[in-house]
Short mmCIF file of all heavy atoms in Angstrom, two decimals:
data_model
loop_
_atom_site.label_atom_id
_atom_site.label_comp_id
_atom_site.label_asym_id
_atom_site.label_seq_id
_atom_site.Cartn_x
_atom_site.Cartn_y
_atom_site.Cartn_z
N MET A 1303 -4.05 8.07 -24.47
CA MET A 1303 -4.98 7.57 -23.47
C MET A 1303 -5.00 8.59 -22.32
O MET A 1303 -3.99 8.97 -21.81
CB MET A 1303 -4.46 6.19 -22.97
CG MET A 1303 -5.37 5.55 -22.08
SD MET A 1303 -4.92 3.88 -21.48
CE MET A 1303 -3.90 3.19 -22.74
N SER A 1304 -6.22 8.96 -21.92
CA SER A 1304 -6.33 9.92 -20.83
C SER A 1304 -6.18 9.30 -19.47
O SER A 1304 -6.28 8.11 -19.30
CB SER A 1304 -7.68 10.60 -20.92
OG SER A 1304 -8.74 9.71 -20.53
N GLN A 1305 -5.86 10.17 -18.50
CA GLN A 1305 -5.78 9.69 -17.07
C GLN A 1305 -7.07 9.19 -16.59
O GLN A 1305 -7.14 8.17 -15.88
CB GLN A 1305 -5.29 10.80 -16.19
CG GLN A 1305 -3.83 11.14 -16.40
CD GLN A 1305 -3.43 12.24 -15.43
OE1 GLN A 1305 -4.22 13.13 -15.02
NE2 GLN A 1305 -2.12 12.25 -15.05
N LEU A 1306 -8.16 9.74 -17.02
CA LEU A 1306 -9.50 9.28 -16.61
C LEU A 1306 -9.73 7.84 -17.11
O LEU A 1306 -10.21 7.04 -16.31
CB LEU A 1306 -10.60 10.24 -17.17
CG LEU A 1306 -12.02 9.82 -16.78
CD1 LEU A 1306 -12.17 9.81 -15.28
CD2 LEU A 1306 -12.98 10.77 -17.40
N PHE A 1307 -9.36 7.54 -18.35
CA PHE A 1307 -9.47 6.19 -18.89
C PHE A 1307 -8.67 5.22 -18.05
O PHE A 1307 -9.14 4.18 -17.70
CB PHE A 1307 -9.05 6.09 -20.26
CG PHE A 1307 -9.07 4.75 -20.89
CD1 PHE A 1307 -10.28 4.18 -21.26
CD2 PHE A 1307 -7.88 3.99 -20.94
CE1 PHE A 1307 -10.28 2.86 -21.80
CE2 PHE A 1307 -7.91 2.73 -21.45
CZ PHE A 1307 -9.11 2.11 -21.86
N CYS A 1308 -7.44 5.58 -17.64
CA CYS A 1308 -6.58 4.71 -16.87
C CYS A 1308 -7.21 4.41 -15.50
O CYS A 1308 -7.20 3.25 -15.01
CB CYS A 1308 -5.23 5.33 -16.67
SG CYS A 1308 -4.24 5.39 -18.18
N LEU A 1309 -7.79 5.41 -14.88
CA LEU A 1309 -8.43 5.26 -13.52
C LEU A 1309 -9.67 4.43 -13.65
O LEU A 1309 -9.98 3.66 -12.74
CB LEU A 1309 -8.69 6.57 -12.91
CG LEU A 1309 -7.51 7.36 -12.49
CD1 LEU A 1309 -7.96 8.77 -11.96
CD2 LEU A 1309 -6.78 6.65 -11.39
N THR A 1310 -10.47 4.49 -14.72
CA THR A 1310 -11.72 3.71 -14.81
C THR A 1310 -11.44 2.28 -15.03
O THR A 1310 -12.32 1.47 -14.85
CB THR A 1310 -12.64 4.35 -15.89
OG1 THR A 1310 -11.92 4.23 -17.15
CG2 THR A 1310 -13.06 5.78 -15.61
N GLN A 1311 -10.24 1.92 -15.53
CA GLN A 1311 -9.95 0.56 -15.79
C GLN A 1311 -9.27 -0.11 -14.60
O GLN A 1311 -8.75 -1.25 -14.69
CB GLN A 1311 -8.99 0.44 -16.95
CG GLN A 1311 -9.60 1.00 -18.24
CD GLN A 1311 -10.92 0.29 -18.59
OE1 GLN A 1311 -11.03 -0.86 -18.62
NE2 GLN A 1311 -11.98 1.06 -18.85
N LYS A 1312 -9.23 0.49 -13.37
CA LYS A 1312 -8.53 -0.05 -12.21
C LYS A 1312 -9.54 -0.31 -11.13
O LYS A 1312 -10.54 0.40 -10.98
CB LYS A 1312 -7.52 0.96 -11.65
CG LYS A 1312 -6.43 1.34 -12.70
CD LYS A 1312 -5.59 0.19 -13.04
CE LYS A 1312 -4.47 0.66 -14.05
NZ LYS A 1312 -3.85 -0.41 -14.66
N ASN A 1313 -9.25 -1.35 -10.42
CA ASN A 1313 -10.04 -1.65 -9.19
C ASN A 1313 -9.30 -1.04 -7.94
O ASN A 1313 -8.05 -1.25 -7.78
CB ASN A 1313 -10.19 -3.09 -8.93
CG ASN A 1313 -11.02 -3.76 -10.06
OD1 ASN A 1313 -12.09 -3.19 -10.37
ND2 ASN A 1313 -10.52 -4.83 -10.57
N ILE A 1314 -9.95 -0.25 -7.12
CA ILE A 1314 -9.30 0.40 -6.03
C ILE A 1314 -9.98 -0.03 -4.74
O ILE A 1314 -11.23 0.07 -4.68
CB ILE A 1314 -9.29 1.96 -6.20
CG1 ILE A 1314 -8.55 2.29 -7.44
CG2 ILE A 1314 -8.72 2.63 -4.95
CD1 ILE A 1314 -8.65 3.80 -7.80
N ILE A 1315 -9.28 -0.48 -3.76
CA ILE A 1315 -9.80 -0.83 -2.43
C ILE A 1315 -8.98 0.06 -1.47
O ILE A 1315 -7.79 0.13 -1.45
CB ILE A 1315 -9.60 -2.29 -2.08
CG1 ILE A 1315 -10.31 -3.14 -3.10
CG2 ILE A 1315 -10.05 -2.59 -0.68
CD1 ILE A 1315 -10.03 -4.65 -2.99
N THR A 1316 -9.76 0.78 -0.59
CA THR A 1316 -9.07 1.57 0.39
C THR A 1316 -9.29 0.99 1.79
O THR A 1316 -10.41 0.63 2.15
CB THR A 1316 -9.70 3.05 0.38
OG1 THR A 1316 -9.51 3.57 -0.90
CG2 THR A 1316 -9.01 3.92 1.42
N VAL A 1317 -8.24 0.87 2.56
CA VAL A 1317 -8.32 0.48 3.96
C VAL A 1317 -7.80 1.63 4.81
O VAL A 1317 -6.64 2.01 4.62
CB VAL A 1317 -7.45 -0.81 4.16
CG1 VAL A 1317 -7.50 -1.24 5.69
CG2 VAL A 1317 -7.86 -1.96 3.30
N SER A 1318 -8.64 2.08 5.67
CA SER A 1318 -8.21 3.29 6.46
C SER A 1318 -8.83 3.11 7.89
O SER A 1318 -9.72 2.30 8.12
CB SER A 1318 -8.72 4.55 5.84
OG SER A 1318 -10.10 4.60 5.79
N GLY A 1319 -8.37 3.88 8.79
CA GLY A 1319 -8.82 3.85 10.16
C GLY A 1319 -8.37 5.06 10.88
O GLY A 1319 -7.56 5.82 10.46
N SER A 1320 -8.90 5.21 12.10
CA SER A 1320 -8.69 6.47 12.89
C SER A 1320 -7.38 6.47 13.67
O SER A 1320 -6.95 7.55 14.05
CB SER A 1320 -9.88 6.66 13.85
OG SER A 1320 -9.97 5.53 14.70
N HIS A 1321 -6.85 5.35 13.91
CA HIS A 1321 -5.55 5.28 14.69
C HIS A 1321 -4.84 3.99 14.51
O HIS A 1321 -5.31 3.06 13.83
CB HIS A 1321 -5.81 5.54 16.21
CG HIS A 1321 -6.80 4.63 16.79
ND1 HIS A 1321 -6.54 3.37 17.29
CD2 HIS A 1321 -8.16 4.76 17.01
CE1 HIS A 1321 -7.55 2.79 17.74
NE2 HIS A 1321 -8.61 3.59 17.55
N SER A 1322 -3.65 3.90 15.03
CA SER A 1322 -2.82 2.68 14.84
C SER A 1322 -3.39 1.53 15.71
O SER A 1322 -4.06 1.79 16.75
CB SER A 1322 -1.39 3.01 15.22
OG SER A 1322 -1.23 3.33 16.54
N GLY A 1323 -3.02 0.36 15.31
CA GLY A 1323 -3.36 -0.84 16.17
C GLY A 1323 -4.75 -1.38 16.00
O GLY A 1323 -5.23 -2.19 16.84
N ILE A 1324 -5.49 -0.93 14.96
CA ILE A 1324 -6.86 -1.39 14.74
C ILE A 1324 -7.09 -2.45 13.66
O ILE A 1324 -8.17 -2.85 13.45
CB ILE A 1324 -7.84 -0.24 14.59
CG1 ILE A 1324 -7.51 0.57 13.34
CG2 ILE A 1324 -7.86 0.66 15.82
CD1 ILE A 1324 -8.57 1.62 12.99
N GLY A 1325 -5.94 -2.87 13.02
CA GLY A 1325 -6.01 -3.94 12.07
C GLY A 1325 -6.00 -3.57 10.61
O GLY A 1325 -6.31 -4.42 9.78
N LYS A 1326 -5.62 -2.37 10.28
CA LYS A 1326 -5.65 -1.97 8.86
C LYS A 1326 -4.65 -2.85 8.05
O LYS A 1326 -5.02 -3.33 6.99
CB LYS A 1326 -5.24 -0.48 8.73
CG LYS A 1326 -6.18 0.49 9.37
CD LYS A 1326 -5.74 1.88 9.22
CE LYS A 1326 -4.39 2.23 9.85
NZ LYS A 1326 -4.42 2.26 11.35
N THR A 1327 -3.43 -2.96 8.54
CA THR A 1327 -2.45 -3.75 7.85
C THR A 1327 -2.82 -5.20 7.74
O THR A 1327 -2.65 -5.85 6.73
CB THR A 1327 -1.02 -3.54 8.46
OG1 THR A 1327 -0.72 -2.18 8.45
CG2 THR A 1327 0.05 -4.30 7.64
N LEU A 1328 -3.36 -5.74 8.78
CA LEU A 1328 -3.82 -7.13 8.82
C LEU A 1328 -4.95 -7.39 7.80
O LEU A 1328 -4.83 -8.36 7.08
CB LEU A 1328 -4.32 -7.45 10.27
CG LEU A 1328 -4.76 -8.90 10.46
CD1 LEU A 1328 -3.57 -9.87 10.27
CD2 LEU A 1328 -5.40 -9.10 11.80
N LEU A 1329 -5.85 -6.45 7.67
CA LEU A 1329 -6.91 -6.57 6.67
C LEU A 1329 -6.32 -6.48 5.25
O LEU A 1329 -6.66 -7.27 4.35
CB LEU A 1329 -7.98 -5.50 6.87
CG LEU A 1329 -9.09 -5.47 5.79
CD1 LEU A 1329 -9.82 -6.80 5.68
CD2 LEU A 1329 -10.05 -4.34 6.11
N ALA A 1330 -5.42 -5.45 5.01
CA ALA A 1330 -4.78 -5.31 3.74
C ALA A 1330 -3.89 -6.56 3.34
O ALA A 1330 -4.01 -6.97 2.22
CB ALA A 1330 -3.91 -4.09 3.72
N GLU A 1331 -3.25 -7.17 4.40
CA GLU A 1331 -2.49 -8.46 4.09
C GLU A 1331 -3.43 -9.54 3.65
O GLU A 1331 -3.16 -10.26 2.66
CB GLU A 1331 -1.81 -8.94 5.38
CG GLU A 1331 -0.56 -8.16 5.74
CD GLU A 1331 0.05 -8.65 6.99
OE1 GLU A 1331 -0.63 -8.62 8.09
OE2 GLU A 1331 1.17 -9.23 6.98
N TYR A 1332 -4.60 -9.67 4.28
CA TYR A 1332 -5.56 -10.70 3.93
C TYR A 1332 -6.10 -10.49 2.54
O TYR A 1332 -6.16 -11.39 1.70
CB TYR A 1332 -6.71 -10.66 4.95
CG TYR A 1332 -7.79 -11.70 4.62
CD1 TYR A 1332 -7.56 -13.07 4.74
CD2 TYR A 1332 -9.04 -11.26 4.17
CE1 TYR A 1332 -8.57 -13.96 4.45
CE2 TYR A 1332 -10.02 -12.15 3.85
CZ TYR A 1332 -9.80 -13.51 3.99
OH TYR A 1332 -10.73 -14.43 3.67
N LEU A 1333 -6.44 -9.23 2.19
CA LEU A 1333 -6.97 -8.95 0.86
C LEU A 1333 -5.94 -9.19 -0.19
O LEU A 1333 -6.25 -9.76 -1.24
CB LEU A 1333 -7.45 -7.48 0.82
CG LEU A 1333 -8.69 -7.13 1.69
CD1 LEU A 1333 -8.96 -5.65 1.63
CD2 LEU A 1333 -9.90 -7.89 1.13
N LEU A 1334 -4.73 -8.78 0.02
CA LEU A 1334 -3.65 -8.97 -0.94
C LEU A 1334 -3.33 -10.45 -1.15
O LEU A 1334 -2.96 -10.87 -2.25
CB LEU A 1334 -2.38 -8.27 -0.50
CG LEU A 1334 -2.44 -6.68 -0.67
CD1 LEU A 1334 -1.28 -6.05 0.14
CD2 LEU A 1334 -2.38 -6.34 -2.11
N SER A 1335 -3.53 -11.29 -0.15
CA SER A 1335 -3.34 -12.72 -0.28
C SER A 1335 -4.38 -13.36 -1.15
O SER A 1335 -4.11 -14.39 -1.79
CB SER A 1335 -3.27 -13.38 1.07
OG SER A 1335 -4.50 -13.52 1.65
N LEU A 1336 -5.52 -12.75 -1.26
CA LEU A 1336 -6.61 -13.26 -2.07
C LEU A 1336 -6.69 -12.70 -3.44
O LEU A 1336 -7.12 -13.40 -4.35
CB LEU A 1336 -7.98 -12.97 -1.41
CG LEU A 1336 -8.20 -13.57 -0.01
CD1 LEU A 1336 -9.53 -13.13 0.49
CD2 LEU A 1336 -8.17 -15.11 -0.12
N LEU A 1337 -6.22 -11.51 -3.59
CA LEU A 1337 -6.32 -10.82 -4.90
C LEU A 1337 -5.02 -10.83 -5.66
O LEU A 1337 -3.90 -10.88 -5.00
CB LEU A 1337 -6.67 -9.36 -4.66
CG LEU A 1337 -8.03 -9.16 -3.89
CD1 LEU A 1337 -8.17 -7.72 -3.48
CD2 LEU A 1337 -9.19 -9.59 -4.78
N HIS A 1338 -5.02 -10.87 -6.96
CA HIS A 1338 -3.82 -10.98 -7.78
C HIS A 1338 -3.62 -9.67 -8.54
O HIS A 1338 -4.59 -9.01 -8.91
CB HIS A 1338 -3.84 -12.17 -8.67
CG HIS A 1338 -3.99 -13.41 -7.98
ND1 HIS A 1338 -3.01 -13.99 -7.24
CD2 HIS A 1338 -5.14 -14.27 -7.78
CE1 HIS A 1338 -3.42 -15.13 -6.70
NE2 HIS A 1338 -4.71 -15.27 -7.01
N ASP A 1339 -2.39 -9.28 -8.86
CA ASP A 1339 -2.03 -8.07 -9.60
C ASP A 1339 -2.52 -6.81 -8.92
O ASP A 1339 -2.90 -5.84 -9.56
CB ASP A 1339 -2.61 -8.18 -10.96
CG ASP A 1339 -1.82 -9.20 -11.80
OD1 ASP A 1339 -0.64 -9.43 -11.53
OD2 ASP A 1339 -2.42 -9.80 -12.72
N PHE A 1340 -2.58 -6.75 -7.60
CA PHE A 1340 -2.81 -5.53 -6.86
C PHE A 1340 -1.50 -4.96 -6.34
O PHE A 1340 -0.65 -5.68 -5.94
CB PHE A 1340 -3.81 -5.76 -5.71
CG PHE A 1340 -5.24 -5.68 -6.07
CD1 PHE A 1340 -5.87 -6.57 -6.90
CD2 PHE A 1340 -5.97 -4.56 -5.62
CE1 PHE A 1340 -7.23 -6.42 -7.26
CE2 PHE A 1340 -7.34 -4.43 -5.92
CZ PHE A 1340 -7.94 -5.32 -6.77
N ALA A 1341 -1.47 -3.66 -6.28
CA ALA A 1341 -0.34 -2.94 -5.69
C ALA A 1341 -0.86 -2.34 -4.34
O ALA A 1341 -2.10 -2.28 -4.08
CB ALA A 1341 0.17 -1.81 -6.57
N ALA A 1342 0.01 -1.91 -3.49
CA ALA A 1342 -0.33 -1.30 -2.20
C ALA A 1342 0.34 0.04 -2.07
O ALA A 1342 1.48 0.22 -2.46
CB ALA A 1342 0.06 -2.21 -1.07
N ILE A 1343 -0.43 1.00 -1.58
CA ILE A 1343 0.13 2.33 -1.32
C ILE A 1343 -0.12 2.58 0.17
O ILE A 1343 -1.23 2.52 0.68
CB ILE A 1343 -0.61 3.45 -2.16
CG1 ILE A 1343 -0.39 3.16 -3.62
CG2 ILE A 1343 -0.08 4.81 -1.71
CD1 ILE A 1343 -1.18 4.17 -4.51
N LYS A 1344 0.98 2.83 0.94
CA LYS A 1344 0.83 3.12 2.34
C LYS A 1344 1.11 4.63 2.58
O LYS A 1344 2.09 5.15 2.05
CB LYS A 1344 1.89 2.34 3.15
CG LYS A 1344 1.86 2.74 4.63
CD LYS A 1344 2.65 1.82 5.51
CE LYS A 1344 2.78 2.24 6.95
NZ LYS A 1344 1.68 2.89 7.56
N VAL A 1345 0.19 5.30 3.23
CA VAL A 1345 0.29 6.72 3.49
C VAL A 1345 0.53 6.93 4.91
O VAL A 1345 -0.20 6.38 5.81
CB VAL A 1345 -1.03 7.43 3.09
CG1 VAL A 1345 -0.94 8.88 3.40
CG2 VAL A 1345 -1.31 7.23 1.59
N SER A 1346 1.62 7.66 5.25
CA SER A 1346 1.85 8.05 6.67
C SER A 1346 1.84 9.51 6.76
O SER A 1346 2.36 10.25 5.90
CB SER A 1346 3.30 7.58 7.07
OG SER A 1346 3.35 6.14 6.99
N ILE A 1347 1.11 10.02 7.73
CA ILE A 1347 1.02 11.48 7.92
C ILE A 1347 2.19 11.96 8.76
O ILE A 1347 2.43 11.47 9.87
CB ILE A 1347 -0.31 11.85 8.63
CG1 ILE A 1347 -1.52 11.28 7.88
CG2 ILE A 1347 -0.42 13.34 8.81
CD1 ILE A 1347 -1.65 11.75 6.44
N GLU A 1348 2.98 12.89 8.20
CA GLU A 1348 4.12 13.49 8.94
C GLU A 1348 3.95 15.04 8.91
O GLU A 1348 3.40 15.60 7.96
CB GLU A 1348 5.38 13.14 8.18
CG GLU A 1348 5.74 11.66 8.08
CD GLU A 1348 6.09 11.03 9.44
OE1 GLU A 1348 6.46 11.77 10.33
OE2 GLU A 1348 5.95 9.79 9.57
N ASP A 1349 4.42 15.65 9.99
CA ASP A 1349 4.28 17.08 10.14
C ASP A 1349 5.30 17.83 9.31
O ASP A 1349 5.03 18.99 8.89
CB ASP A 1349 4.41 17.46 11.58
CG ASP A 1349 3.22 17.06 12.41
OD1 ASP A 1349 2.15 16.81 11.87
OD2 ASP A 1349 3.38 16.90 13.70
N PHE A 1350 6.48 17.27 9.10
CA PHE A 1350 7.57 18.04 8.60
C PHE A 1350 8.04 17.84 7.17
O PHE A 1350 8.79 18.58 6.58
CB PHE A 1350 8.83 17.94 9.54
CG PHE A 1350 8.46 18.39 10.89
CD1 PHE A 1350 8.36 17.49 11.96
CD2 PHE A 1350 8.33 19.75 11.19
CE1 PHE A 1350 8.10 17.95 13.26
CE2 PHE A 1350 8.03 20.16 12.43
CZ PHE A 1350 7.90 19.25 13.51
N PHE A 1351 7.66 16.66 6.58
CA PHE A 1351 8.14 16.36 5.22
C PHE A 1351 7.14 15.50 4.49
O PHE A 1351 6.31 14.85 5.05
CB PHE A 1351 9.52 15.71 5.32
CG PHE A 1351 9.54 14.34 5.85
CD1 PHE A 1351 9.39 13.22 4.99
CD2 PHE A 1351 9.60 14.13 7.25
CE1 PHE A 1351 9.38 11.94 5.58
CE2 PHE A 1351 9.62 12.83 7.77
CZ PHE A 1351 9.53 11.72 6.92
N THR A 1352 7.32 15.47 3.17
CA THR A 1352 6.58 14.61 2.32
C THR A 1352 7.60 13.84 1.42
O THR A 1352 8.51 14.49 0.85
CB THR A 1352 5.61 15.39 1.42
OG1 THR A 1352 4.67 16.07 2.24
CG2 THR A 1352 4.83 14.45 0.49
N ALA A 1353 7.45 12.60 1.34
CA ALA A 1353 8.40 11.79 0.48
C ALA A 1353 7.66 10.59 -0.05
O ALA A 1353 6.60 10.16 0.49
CB ALA A 1353 9.58 11.30 1.31
N VAL A 1354 8.17 10.07 -1.22
CA VAL A 1354 7.60 8.89 -1.79
C VAL A 1354 8.71 7.86 -1.90
O VAL A 1354 9.76 8.21 -2.42
CB VAL A 1354 6.94 9.20 -3.15
CG1 VAL A 1354 6.48 7.93 -3.85
CG2 VAL A 1354 5.87 10.21 -3.00
N PHE A 1355 8.50 6.69 -1.47
CA PHE A 1355 9.49 5.60 -1.54
C PHE A 1355 8.93 4.42 -2.30
O PHE A 1355 7.78 4.00 -2.02
CB PHE A 1355 9.97 5.13 -0.10
CG PHE A 1355 10.54 6.25 0.69
CD1 PHE A 1355 9.82 6.86 1.65
CD2 PHE A 1355 11.84 6.65 0.47
CE1 PHE A 1355 10.29 7.88 2.49
CE2 PHE A 1355 12.37 7.68 1.31
CZ PHE A 1355 11.60 8.26 2.26
N CYS A 1356 9.73 3.75 -3.13
CA CYS A 1356 9.31 2.50 -3.70
C CYS A 1356 10.53 1.56 -3.94
O CYS A 1356 10.38 0.48 -4.47
CB CYS A 1356 8.56 2.74 -5.05
SG CYS A 1356 9.56 3.64 -6.29
N ASP A 1357 11.63 1.97 -3.31
CA ASP A 1357 12.85 1.11 -3.51
C ASP A 1357 12.80 0.03 -2.45
O ASP A 1357 12.30 0.17 -1.31
CB ASP A 1357 14.08 1.96 -3.33
CG ASP A 1357 14.18 2.62 -1.99
OD1 ASP A 1357 13.37 3.58 -1.75
OD2 ASP A 1357 14.98 2.21 -1.14
N ASP A 1358 13.40 -1.15 -2.81
CA ASP A 1358 13.35 -2.31 -1.91
C ASP A 1358 14.12 -2.07 -0.58
O ASP A 1358 13.66 -2.61 0.41
CB ASP A 1358 13.99 -3.53 -2.64
CG ASP A 1358 13.01 -4.21 -3.53
OD1 ASP A 1358 11.80 -3.89 -3.46
OD2 ASP A 1358 13.48 -5.05 -4.34
N ALA A 1359 15.12 -1.27 -0.62
CA ALA A 1359 15.86 -0.94 0.64
C ALA A 1359 14.92 -0.36 1.72
O ALA A 1359 15.07 -0.49 2.94
CB ALA A 1359 17.07 -0.10 0.38
N THR A 1360 13.97 0.47 1.26
CA THR A 1360 13.10 1.18 2.21
C THR A 1360 11.87 0.33 2.47
O THR A 1360 11.35 0.22 3.58
CB THR A 1360 12.63 2.56 1.59
OG1 THR A 1360 13.83 3.31 1.36
CG2 THR A 1360 11.73 3.28 2.52
N ILE A 1361 11.37 -0.32 1.41
CA ILE A 1361 10.12 -1.09 1.54
C ILE A 1361 10.25 -2.45 2.28
O ILE A 1361 9.43 -2.81 3.10
CB ILE A 1361 9.53 -1.40 0.11
CG1 ILE A 1361 9.17 -0.09 -0.62
CG2 ILE A 1361 8.31 -2.30 0.20
CD1 ILE A 1361 8.17 0.83 0.04
N MET A 1362 11.35 -3.13 2.01
CA MET A 1362 11.51 -4.46 2.54
C MET A 1362 12.33 -4.51 3.89
O MET A 1362 13.37 -5.18 4.01
CB MET A 1362 12.27 -5.36 1.49
CG MET A 1362 11.41 -5.61 0.26
SD MET A 1362 9.82 -6.29 0.53
CE MET A 1362 10.23 -7.96 1.04
N VAL A 1363 11.78 -3.81 4.87
CA VAL A 1363 12.46 -3.79 6.19
C VAL A 1363 11.55 -4.68 7.11
O VAL A 1363 10.37 -4.38 7.33
CB VAL A 1363 12.46 -2.38 6.80
CG1 VAL A 1363 13.04 -2.40 8.22
CG2 VAL A 1363 13.32 -1.44 5.87
N PRO A 1364 12.06 -5.85 7.47
CA PRO A 1364 11.29 -6.81 8.27
C PRO A 1364 10.59 -6.08 9.43
O PRO A 1364 11.13 -5.30 10.16
CB PRO A 1364 12.30 -7.81 8.78
CG PRO A 1364 13.36 -7.77 7.65
CD PRO A 1364 13.48 -6.33 7.26
N GLY A 1365 9.29 -6.48 9.58
CA GLY A 1365 8.48 -5.89 10.70
C GLY A 1365 7.69 -4.68 10.34
O GLY A 1365 6.75 -4.27 11.04
N LYS A 1366 8.13 -4.01 9.29
CA LYS A 1366 7.36 -2.77 8.89
C LYS A 1366 6.16 -3.19 8.09
O LYS A 1366 6.08 -4.19 7.44
CB LYS A 1366 8.31 -1.89 8.04
CG LYS A 1366 9.45 -1.33 8.76
CD LYS A 1366 9.04 -0.40 9.87
CE LYS A 1366 10.26 0.26 10.51
NZ LYS A 1366 9.84 1.19 11.55
N ASP A 1367 5.14 -2.28 8.05
CA ASP A 1367 3.93 -2.47 7.28
C ASP A 1367 4.21 -2.71 5.83
O ASP A 1367 3.57 -3.56 5.20
CB ASP A 1367 2.96 -1.27 7.43
CG ASP A 1367 2.36 -1.22 8.89
OD1 ASP A 1367 2.51 -2.19 9.64
OD2 ASP A 1367 1.67 -0.23 9.18
N THR A 1368 5.14 -1.92 5.23
CA THR A 1368 5.42 -2.08 3.85
C THR A 1368 5.98 -3.47 3.54
O THR A 1368 5.58 -4.08 2.57
CB THR A 1368 6.44 -1.01 3.38
OG1 THR A 1368 7.56 -1.07 4.20
CG2 THR A 1368 5.83 0.37 3.37
N PHE A 1369 6.80 -4.02 4.43
CA PHE A 1369 7.31 -5.38 4.21
C PHE A 1369 6.17 -6.39 4.29
O PHE A 1369 6.09 -7.31 3.47
CB PHE A 1369 8.33 -5.68 5.37
CG PHE A 1369 8.91 -7.04 5.34
CD1 PHE A 1369 10.00 -7.33 4.55
CD2 PHE A 1369 8.33 -8.05 6.06
CE1 PHE A 1369 10.58 -8.61 4.54
CE2 PHE A 1369 8.89 -9.37 6.05
CZ PHE A 1369 9.98 -9.64 5.26
N ARG A 1370 5.25 -6.19 5.25
CA ARG A 1370 4.09 -7.11 5.40
C ARG A 1370 3.20 -7.10 4.19
O ARG A 1370 2.74 -8.12 3.69
CB ARG A 1370 3.28 -6.76 6.64
CG ARG A 1370 4.05 -7.03 7.95
CD ARG A 1370 3.33 -6.47 9.15
NE ARG A 1370 1.99 -7.09 9.27
CZ ARG A 1370 1.09 -6.64 10.16
NH1 ARG A 1370 1.35 -5.67 10.98
NH2 ARG A 1370 -0.12 -7.23 10.20
N LEU A 1371 2.96 -5.92 3.55
CA LEU A 1371 2.19 -5.76 2.37
C LEU A 1371 2.81 -6.47 1.22
O LEU A 1371 2.17 -7.14 0.48
CB LEU A 1371 1.89 -4.30 2.08
CG LEU A 1371 1.09 -3.53 3.15
CD1 LEU A 1371 1.07 -2.02 2.86
CD2 LEU A 1371 -0.36 -4.14 3.28
N LYS A 1372 4.07 -6.24 1.00
CA LYS A 1372 4.82 -6.85 -0.11
C LYS A 1372 4.87 -8.34 0.06
O LYS A 1372 4.65 -9.11 -0.92
CB LYS A 1372 6.24 -6.24 -0.20
CG LYS A 1372 7.02 -6.79 -1.39
CD LYS A 1372 6.54 -6.26 -2.67
CE LYS A 1372 7.45 -6.70 -3.84
NZ LYS A 1372 6.95 -6.32 -5.10
N SER A 1373 5.08 -8.82 1.26
CA SER A 1373 5.18 -10.27 1.51
C SER A 1373 3.81 -10.94 1.38
O SER A 1373 3.76 -12.13 1.16
CB SER A 1373 5.68 -10.50 2.94
OG SER A 1373 7.03 -9.99 3.11
N SER A 1374 2.72 -10.16 1.49
CA SER A 1374 1.38 -10.74 1.35
C SER A 1374 0.99 -10.90 -0.11
O SER A 1374 -0.06 -11.47 -0.38
CB SER A 1374 0.40 -9.90 2.07
OG SER A 1374 0.69 -9.92 3.43
N GLY A 1375 1.79 -10.36 -1.04
CA GLY A 1375 1.49 -10.56 -2.43
C GLY A 1375 1.26 -9.32 -3.24
O GLY A 1375 0.86 -9.40 -4.41
N ALA A 1376 1.50 -8.13 -2.67
CA ALA A 1376 1.37 -6.91 -3.46
C ALA A 1376 2.37 -6.90 -4.64
O ALA A 1376 3.53 -7.22 -4.43
CB ALA A 1376 1.61 -5.68 -2.57
N LYS A 1377 1.81 -6.58 -5.79
CA LYS A 1377 2.71 -6.53 -6.98
C LYS A 1377 3.78 -5.48 -6.75
O LYS A 1377 4.91 -5.66 -7.11
CB LYS A 1377 1.84 -6.24 -8.23
CG LYS A 1377 2.57 -6.39 -9.51
CD LYS A 1377 1.56 -6.22 -10.64
CE LYS A 1377 2.24 -6.45 -11.98
NZ LYS A 1377 1.31 -6.37 -13.05
N GLN A 1378 3.38 -4.32 -6.22
CA GLN A 1378 4.35 -3.27 -5.89
C GLN A 1378 3.83 -2.60 -4.64
O GLN A 1378 2.64 -2.51 -4.39
CB GLN A 1378 4.50 -2.27 -7.00
CG GLN A 1378 5.49 -1.16 -6.72
CD GLN A 1378 5.77 -0.27 -7.92
OE1 GLN A 1378 5.19 -0.42 -8.97
NE2 GLN A 1378 6.71 0.61 -7.74
N VAL A 1379 4.73 -2.04 -3.87
CA VAL A 1379 4.41 -1.23 -2.67
C VAL A 1379 5.03 0.12 -2.81
O VAL A 1379 6.21 0.20 -3.10
CB VAL A 1379 4.88 -1.96 -1.37
CG1 VAL A 1379 4.55 -0.99 -0.17
CG2 VAL A 1379 4.18 -3.32 -1.18
N VAL A 1380 4.21 1.15 -2.60
CA VAL A 1380 4.74 2.53 -2.59
C VAL A 1380 4.35 3.10 -1.26
O VAL A 1380 3.24 2.97 -0.78
CB VAL A 1380 4.02 3.39 -3.75
CG1 VAL A 1380 4.49 4.79 -3.68
CG2 VAL A 1380 4.31 2.71 -5.07
N TRP A 1381 5.30 3.80 -0.62
CA TRP A 1381 5.08 4.43 0.66
C TRP A 1381 5.38 5.91 0.57
O TRP A 1381 6.41 6.35 0.16
CB TRP A 1381 5.99 3.76 1.73
CG TRP A 1381 5.91 4.38 3.10
CD1 TRP A 1381 4.82 5.00 3.63
CD2 TRP A 1381 6.94 4.32 4.07
NE1 TRP A 1381 5.11 5.38 4.93
CE2 TRP A 1381 6.39 4.99 5.22
CE3 TRP A 1381 8.20 3.83 4.10
CZ2 TRP A 1381 7.17 5.18 6.40
CZ3 TRP A 1381 8.97 4.04 5.26
CH2 TRP A 1381 8.37 4.69 6.36
#
């Protein structure tokens, strides 16, 4: 099965914005509460490093966006 086939069989919704505090996470929480079997990917722009996290110790930190996305019903959260 090709990667193109895998991508064409997925629904993708992107929530983005120009700066913090404008409601991106709130909107994503709302969408995740309505939709089933969706995952969430949070992208943070950093100047000095690139990393990918999907472990619960990093994702499930109360108060963080990743925690809010997972708690709203995301099947998986990757940051």
